[in-house]
Coordinates of all heavy atoms in Angstrom, one line a residue:
M106 N 104.5 148.9 -0.3 CA 105.7 148.0 -0.5 C 107.0 148.7 -0.7 O 107.0 149.7 -1.5 CB 105.4 147.0 -1.7 CG 106.5 146.0 -1.9 SD 106.0 144.7 -3.1 CE 107.4 143.6 -3.0
V107 N 108.0 148.3 0.0 CA 109.3 148.8 -0.1 C 110.2 147.7 -0.8 O 110.4 146.7 -0.2 CB 110.0 149.2 1.2 CG1 111.4 149.7 1.0 CG2 109.1 150.3 1.9
H108 N 110.6 148.0 -2.0 CA 111.3 147.0 -2.8 C 112.8 146.9 -2.4 O 113.4 147.9 -1.9 CB 111.2 147.3 -4.3 CG 109.8 147.4 -4.8 ND1 109.1 146.2 -5.3 CD2 108.9 148.4 -4.9 CE1 107.9 146.6 -5.6 NE2 107.7 147.8 -5.4
Q109 N 113.4 145.7 -2.7 CA 114.8 145.5 -2.4 C 115.6 146.5 -3.1 O 116.6 147.1 -2.6 CB 115.2 144.1 -2.7 CG 116.6 143.8 -2.5 CD 117.0 142.3 -2.9 OE1 116.1 141.6 -3.3 NE2 118.2 142.0 -2.8
H110 N 115.3 146.7 -4.4 CA 116.1 147.7 -5.2 C 115.2 149.0 -5.2 O 114.1 149.0 -5.8 CB 116.4 147.2 -6.6 CG 117.2 145.9 -6.6 ND1 118.5 145.9 -6.4 CD2 116.8 144.6 -6.6 CE1 119.0 144.7 -6.4 NE2 118.0 143.9 -6.5
F111 N 115.7 150.0 -4.5 CA 114.8 151.2 -4.3 C 114.4 151.8 -5.6 O 115.1 151.9 -6.6 CB 115.6 152.2 -3.5 CG 116.1 151.6 -2.2 CD1 117.3 152.1 -1.6 CD2 115.4 150.7 -1.4 CE1 117.8 151.6 -0.4 CE2 115.9 150.2 -0.2 CZ 117.1 150.6 0.3
M112 N 113.2 152.4 -5.5 CA 112.6 153.0 -6.7 C 112.5 154.5 -6.4 O 111.4 155.1 -6.2 CB 111.2 152.4 -7.0 CG 111.3 150.9 -7.4 SD 109.7 150.2 -7.9 CE 110.2 148.6 -8.3
L113 N 113.7 155.2 -6.4 CA 113.7 156.6 -6.1 C 114.4 157.3 -7.3 O 115.2 156.7 -8.0 CB 114.6 156.8 -4.9 CG 114.0 156.2 -3.6 CD1 115.0 156.3 -2.5 CD2 112.7 156.8 -3.2
A114 N 114.0 158.6 -7.4 CA 114.7 159.4 -8.5 C 115.8 160.2 -7.8 O 115.6 161.1 -7.0 CB 113.6 160.4 -9.0
D115 N 117.1 159.8 -8.2 CA 118.2 160.4 -7.5 C 118.3 161.9 -7.6 O 118.8 162.6 -6.7 CB 119.5 159.8 -8.1 CG 119.7 158.3 -7.7 OD1 118.9 157.9 -6.8 OD2 120.7 157.7 -8.2
Q116 N 117.8 162.4 -8.7 CA 118.0 163.9 -9.0 C 117.0 164.7 -8.3 O 117.0 166.0 -8.4 CB 118.0 164.1 -10.5 CG 116.7 164.0 -11.2 CD 116.4 162.5 -11.6 OE1 117.0 161.6 -11.1 NE2 115.5 162.3 -12.6
L117 N 116.0 164.1 -7.6 CA 115.0 164.8 -6.9 C 115.3 164.8 -5.4 O 116.1 164.0 -4.9 CB 113.6 164.2 -7.1 CG 113.1 164.2 -8.6 CD1 111.7 163.6 -8.6 CD2 113.1 165.6 -9.2
T118 N 114.7 165.8 -4.7 CA 114.9 165.8 -3.2 C 114.1 164.8 -2.5 O 113.2 164.1 -3.1 CB 114.4 167.2 -2.7 OG1 113.0 167.3 -2.9 CG2 115.1 168.3 -3.4
V119 N 114.3 164.6 -1.2 CA 113.6 163.7 -0.4 C 112.1 164.0 -0.5 O 111.2 163.1 -0.7 CB 114.0 163.7 1.1 CG1 113.1 163.0 2.0 CG2 115.4 163.2 1.2
L120 N 111.7 165.3 -0.3 CA 110.3 165.7 -0.3 C 109.7 165.4 -1.7 O 108.6 164.9 -1.7 CB 110.2 167.2 0.0 CG 108.8 167.8 0.0 CD1 107.9 167.1 1.0 CD2 108.9 169.3 0.2
E121 N 110.4 165.7 -2.8 CA 109.8 165.5 -4.1 C 109.6 164.0 -4.4 O 108.6 163.6 -5.0 CB 110.7 166.1 -5.2 CG 110.7 167.6 -5.2 CD 111.9 168.2 -6.0 OE1 112.9 167.5 -6.2 OE2 111.7 169.4 -6.4
N122 N 110.5 163.1 -3.9 CA 110.4 161.7 -4.0 C 109.2 161.2 -3.2 O 108.4 160.3 -3.7 CB 111.6 161.0 -3.6 CG 112.6 160.7 -4.7 OD1 112.5 159.8 -5.5 ND2 113.6 161.6 -4.8
V123 N 109.0 161.7 -2.0 CA 107.9 161.2 -1.2 C 106.5 161.5 -1.8 O 105.6 160.7 -1.8 CB 108.0 161.8 0.2 CG1 106.8 161.5 1.1 CG2 109.2 161.2 1.0
V124 N 106.4 162.7 -2.3 CA 105.1 163.1 -2.8 C 104.8 162.8 -4.3 O 103.7 162.9 -4.8 CB 104.8 164.6 -2.6 CG1 105.0 165.1 -1.2 CG2 105.7 165.5 -3.6
L125 N 105.9 162.3 -5.0 CA 105.7 162.0 -6.4 C 104.6 161.0 -6.7 O 104.5 159.9 -6.2 CB 107.0 161.4 -6.9 CG 107.2 161.2 -8.4 CD1 107.2 162.6 -9.1 CD2 108.5 160.5 -8.8
G126 N 103.6 161.5 -7.5 CA 102.5 160.7 -7.8 C 101.3 160.9 -6.8 O 100.2 160.4 -7.1
A127 N 101.6 161.6 -5.7 CA 100.5 161.8 -4.7 C 100.6 163.2 -4.2 O 100.5 163.5 -3.0 CB 100.6 160.8 -3.6
E128 N 100.9 164.2 -5.1 CA 101.2 165.6 -4.7 C 99.9 166.3 -4.2 O 98.9 166.2 -4.9 CB 101.7 166.3 -5.9 CG 103.0 165.8 -6.5 CD 102.9 164.7 -7.6 OE1 101.7 164.2 -7.7 OE2 103.8 164.4 -8.3
P129 N 100.0 166.9 -3.1 CA 98.8 167.7 -2.6 C 98.8 169.0 -3.4 O 99.9 169.6 -3.7 CB 99.2 168.0 -1.1 CG 100.7 167.9 -1.0 CD 101.1 166.9 -2.1
T130 N 97.7 169.4 -3.8 CA 97.6 170.7 -4.6 C 96.7 171.7 -3.9 O 95.8 171.3 -3.1 CB 97.0 170.4 -6.0 OG1 95.7 169.8 -5.8 CG2 97.9 169.5 -6.7
R131 N 96.9 172.9 -4.2 CA 96.1 174.0 -3.7 C 95.9 175.0 -4.8 O 96.9 175.6 -5.3 CB 96.8 174.7 -2.5 CG 95.9 175.8 -1.8 CD 96.6 176.3 -0.6 NE 95.8 177.3 0.1 CZ 96.2 178.0 1.1 NH1 97.4 177.8 1.6 NH2 95.4 178.9 1.7
R132 N 94.7 175.2 -5.3 CA 94.4 176.0 -6.5 C 95.3 175.7 -7.7 O 95.8 176.5 -8.4 CB 94.7 177.5 -6.1 CG 93.8 178.0 -5.0 CD 94.2 179.4 -4.6 NE 93.4 179.9 -3.5 CZ 93.6 181.0 -2.8 NH1 94.6 181.8 -3.1 NH2 92.8 181.4 -1.8
G133 N 95.4 174.3 -7.9 CA 96.0 173.8 -9.1 C 97.5 173.8 -9.0 O 98.2 173.5 -10.0

Side-chain angles (χ1 to χ4, degrees):
M106 185 168 182
V107 177
H108 299 270
Q109 178 182 357
H110 300 281
F111 304 146
M112 297 184 176
L113 300 171
D115 286 354
Q116 70 274 22
L117 299 183
T118 65
V119 169
L120 179 62
E121 290 167 338
N122 268 279
V123 168
V124 304
L125 191 62
E128 298 89 344
T130 58
R131 185 178 183 184
R132 297 174 183 172

